Structure formats: C-alpha cells, structure tokens
Amino acid sequence: MLISFEGIEGSGKSTQIKLLSEKFEKKGLKVICVREPGGTLIGEKIRDLFLEETDEIFNPLTEVLLLYSSRKQLDEQIIRPNLAEGNIVIADRFYHATIAYQCYGKGVEVGFVEYIHEKLNISKPNLSVLIDIDPQLSRQRISQRDPDRMEKESLEFFSRVQEGYKRLEENNKDFVSIDGKKTIEKISEEIEILIAKKLNV
Ligand code: ADP
C-alpha cells in the first residue's frame, strides 16, 4: 500500500510520517519511508542538483523531467518491490506535488505530467493526505531552516501551489485534506482514523 503526504513546506509532513510509521510498526507492519527527489543513489544526486542554488533559471519542464528521472528510479528500486512484498510505503510528497508545484506553481500543463506518469508506468498512491496550512504559517514554521531553492520561492508561488492542492482534492476521492493548524496529536489521530476508514489498516 502506497500512502503519500502532501503539503507546502512546514505543513507537518515529516512529523506526521514519523508518527504514522510508529503506529504501523506497533501493529507489526513493515514501513518504508521515501522522499522525493531522492531515495536511491541516483535520486539523491538528482536531489542535490534539484535543490541547489544556481545562477541559471531552472526551466519548469527541466524540473519535471528531473523529478520524473528520480521518481522512475525510486519506483523501480524501492516502491514496487516493497509493495509486492506487502509492505507499506509512505512517500513524503509524490506525483501530486509535481502537479501542485510545477503545474499550478510554475505553469506546466497538468496533462503533460499525467501523461508521463502514465507512460512511465509509475505506481499511484492508494491514498494521499494533504496537510493544509496557509503560506504565512508555512513561512513562520520554516523560519529557522536554512532554505533550499524551492523554500526560497515567494508567498504568491506557495499560494498557487496551495490552490493546486485544493483543486486536486476537489477532483480526486483518494486525495484528502486535513487542517494543519490543529495540534500534532489531533492531526495524527485524524490521519489514523482516515487510514482505517479508507484503507482498512
Ligand atoms: P514538513 O515536513 O511538512 O516540512 P515538519 O514536519 O518538518 O514539516 O514541521 C515543520 C515544523 O513545524 C517543525 O518544527 C514541527 O515541529 C512543526 N509542526 C509540525 N506540525 C505542527 C502542528 N500541527 N502544530 C504546530 N507545529 C507543528
């Protein structure tokens, strides 16, 4: 089973992924957590290239193709074999993030991303959980971090990303959002209930 967590920076994805993995492990289930870009040797090199500051302007389609190079590698090497063994794979962002960031945020056609995802035959999440916070709160929460290339984008950019995530939620029954302003414990409880209801685990 593949579960992805989505949301803008500082929404609480890593915090909730850690809590959810612990809950699954207590039930005796094997959990693999992956992040993108990255998760394989090739993917981590792509991650460095993707997040590093550069004087050149990154073309949004170059971003999509880099993300998909990493995603294909991750799917073949880690996600598919683990799903085949019956393990739970939790992804810190996946396919929907490309639609929110590169399509809604940077103008790439949604159909292009859907097309290459399909053609590359990459796994699709059984459930995606959006942790929903507004860009202002995101800014406050990540103010202590040394920002990477994506985290340095403008508030307007993050508003467009947020809008993209909301559209995905409207159009997809396997994409569910949770209010990220609630406490860590409350969100964790809601995620547990949601997963039990939707996926029976
Ligand atoms: P992400 O992985 O989405 O970037 P993190 O899980 O790293 O987000 O959380 C970013 C920061 O916000 C961390 O300092 C974390 O402790 C804090 N945080 C996460 N969830 C909440 C919450 N529900 N309420 C308040 N602070 C939170």
Side-chain angles (χ1 to χ4, degrees), residues 1-198:
M1 182 171 306
L2 173 60
I3 302 169
S4 63
F5 278 78
E6 296 288 350
I8 56 176
E9 335 299 310
S11 54
K13 297 180 301 300
S14 329
T15 307
Q16 294 301 332
I17 288 172
K18 188 166 172 289
L19 291 171
L20 182 64
S21 310
E22 287 166 4
K23 287 183 183 176
F24 279 143
E25 277 159 3
K26 272 196 192 141
K27 292 183 182 172
L29 297 162
K30 188 169 170 198
V31 185
I32 309 293
C33 297
V34 297
R35 67 169 185 179
E36 287 202 307
T40 63
L41 288 175
I42 292 172
E44 289 297 321
K45 287 194 175 171
I46 295 172
R47 184 183 183 86
D48 290 343
L49 182 62
F50 188 85
L51 293 176
E52 222 172 80
E53 278 300 323
T54 164
D55 291 338
E56 274 178 12
I57 296 173
F58 242 101
N59 185 292
L61 283 169
T62 309
E63 286 190 359
V64 170
L65 295 173
L66 282 176
L67 287 164
Y68 267 91
S69 306
S70 170
R71 189 165 294 153
K72 179 67 185 166
Q73 199 68 20
L74 184 68
D75 193 45
E76 289 296 323
Q77 282 192 30
I78 313 279
I79 299 178
R80 275 178 191 274
N82 273 288
L83 295 180
E85 280 187 25
N87 299 329
I88 294 178
V89 180
I90 305 181
D92 188 334
R93 294 213 182 100
F94 203 55
Y95 157 74
H96 298 101
T98 311
I99 298 201
Y101 278 73
Q102 277 68 39
C103 298
Y104 284 90
K106 300 193 172 187
V108 172
E109 232 182 281
V110 174
F112 176 70
V113 173
E114 288 172 346
Y115 178 82
I116 54 173
H117 195 93
E118 205 64 42
K119 287 287 171 195
L120 289 170
N121 192 26
I122 293 176
S123 307
K124 287 210 168 127
N126 300 86
L127 181 68
S128 301
V129 181
L130 167 67
I131 308 182
D132 190 19
I133 62 167
D134 64 56
Q136 293 285 359
L137 180 58
S138 159
R139 269 282 135 92
Q140 284 169 27
R141 289 216 191 136
I142 64 167
S143 61
Q144 316 295 336
R145 285 187 197 167
D146 186 16
D148 62 36
R149 192 175 65 83
M150 292 306 286
E151 288 168 349
K152 282 186 183 155
E153 290 280 358
S154 64
L155 279 179
E156 292 72 39
F157 171 78
F158 285 113
S159 299
R160 290 197 299 277
V161 172
Q162 193 65 356
E163 176 58 31
Y165 274 136
K166 298 307 278 180
R167 289 280 174 80
L168 282 164
E169 186 192 0
E170 283 162 18
N171 298 326
N172 184 349
K173 67 177 175 32
D174 300 321
F175 189 95
V176 186
S177 83
I178 286 195
D179 180 359
K181 295 189 297 304
K182 294 182 177 169
T183 64
I184 291 175
E185 294 70 26
K186 181 80 187 127
I187 294 171
S188 176
E189 265 173 46
E190 287 189 8
I191 290 172
E192 197 177 12
I193 293 168
L194 185 70
I195 285 175
K197 195 169 112 193
K198 291 250 178 198

